[in-house]
Amino acid sequence: EDKVVQSPLSLVVHEGDTVTLNCSYEVTNFRSLLWYKQEKKAPTFLFMLTSSGIEKKSGRLSSILDKKELFSILNITATQTGDSAVYLCAKLTDKLIFGTGTRLQVFP
Amino acid sequence: SAVISQKPSRDICQRGTSLTIQCQVDSQVTMMFWYRQQPGQSLTLIATANQGSEATYESGFVIDKFPISRPNLTFSTLTVSNMSPEDSSIYLCSAEREWRDTQYFGPGTRLTVL
């Protein structure tokens, strides 16, 4: 079975903290690894990673892929309450296979 | 990116009835997909909506229960048929402009079956 595993399942931090979210996957038919933020219903696209070792950044968020060790991390620095959400990673083969997500709660 | 809208945004339905969810993309896209997200769980792909032909269903999902249409490159519908409380979920459509490009999601439809 093709699996995407995220850790931790949930995380509670205070504003200003830095968090690292983890995503590991199986190598079968791998094309890309995507990260999404889901606040209410719709997942919002964050990053698409295809090449190993190249960091992608958007403001306080950054992500990198390690195709040798089969994992990706999503970093959020100086967290804000608006970062509270479920963060989903998904492996793209001929379809998207989602992990179970990491629920991040940021308190003032 | 693609701008995707869904209707309805939410509905409460009676057991045994059917609901059709519409998905509209602001421009032509290659691929459209339908997902289900049950309470507390991640997204599960129901099917790929193919333009002009029958949808491709994932294991555990069948056409009789989830008929899908895709009459053109910007529009698709998903029907949840003969509903039961177990069908209570968020249903999401997504689209890719190019094959294996980034998938963008619609705002979702929250369905509650009583």
Side-chain angles (χ1 to χ4, degrees):
Chain A
E1 185 184 336
D2 219 343
K3 279 186 179 175
V4 176
V5 179
Q6 291 186 246
S7 65
L9 291 180
S10 66
L11 199 51
V12 179
V13 301
H14 289 287
E15 273 192 320
D17 289 350
T18 294
V19 298
T20 298
L21 310 182
N22 304 293
C23 176
S24 63
Y25 62 92
E26 295 180 354
V27 71
T28 315
N29 298 322
F30 175 85
R31 300 294 174 179
S32 299
L33 194 291
L34 287 81
W35 284 95
Y36 290 88
K37 177 183 182 182
Q38 187 176 31
E39 292 177 85
K40 291 183 180 176
K41 291 187 294 187
T44 305
F45 172 74
L46 295 175
F47 299 111
M48 183 177 190
L49 304 162
T50 305
S51 301
S52 202
I54 299 174
E55 184 182 53
K56 292 207 172 182
K57 279 181 75 73
S58 177
R60 296 176 293 103
L61 278 67
S62 64
S63 185
I64 197 163
L65 176 69
D66 185 329
K67 291 171 76 172
K68 182 180 177 184
E69 300 298 329
L70 306 181
F71 77 90
S72 174
I73 60 172
L74 174 68
N75 278 320
I76 308 174
T77 59
T79 52
Q80 302 171 358
T81 54
D83 295 326
S84 297
V86 175
Y87 290 83
L88 298 164
C89 79
K91 169 183 151 180
L92 179 63
T93 60
D94 57 347
K95 60 184 179 182
L96 272 181
I97 300 167
F98 281 87
T100 50
T102 293
R103 180 174 296 277
L104 173 65
Q105 293 176 277
V106 182
F107 287 97
Chain B
S1 65
V3 178
I4 303 173
S5 60
Q6 279 186 238
K7 289 194 298 187
S9 61
R10 59 174 59 223
D11 208 340
I12 300 173
C13 300
Q14 294 297 321
R15 181 195 298 261
T17 62
S18 298
L19 176 72
T20 296
I21 302 167
Q22 298 180 5
C23 178
Q24 179 74 54
V25 190
D26 66 337
S27 58
Q28 292 185 350
V29 292
T30 307
M31 309 288 286
M32 293 182 75
F33 305 89
W34 286 97
Y35 289 82
R36 180 174 74 180
Q37 187 173 28
Q38 294 180 300
Q41 304 206 12
S42 193
L43 281 72
T44 301
L45 180 64
I46 298 171
T48 302
N50 300 310
Q51 193 267 325
S53 65
E54 195 171 284
T56 305
Y57 289 84
E58 297 298 307
S59 175
F61 298 96
V62 295
I63 188 171
D64 290 346
K65 177 67 176 177
F66 297 102
I68 287 170
S69 78
R70 190 177 171 195
N72 56 51
L73 293 176
T74 64
F75 185 78
S76 179
T77 67
L78 167 76
T79 298
V80 186
S81 302
N82 188 25
M83 288 183 284
S84 67
E86 291 71 35
D87 295 319
S88 297
S89 287
I90 296 172
Y91 291 87
L92 294 141
C93 75
S94 71
E96 288 178 359
R97 288 203 183 283
E98 302 290 336
W99 187 58
R100 290 179 180 165
D101 193 6
T102 302
Q103 272 189 38
Y104 295 94
F105 283 83
T109 296
R110 186 182 297 276
L111 170 62
T112 302
V113 184
L114 302 177

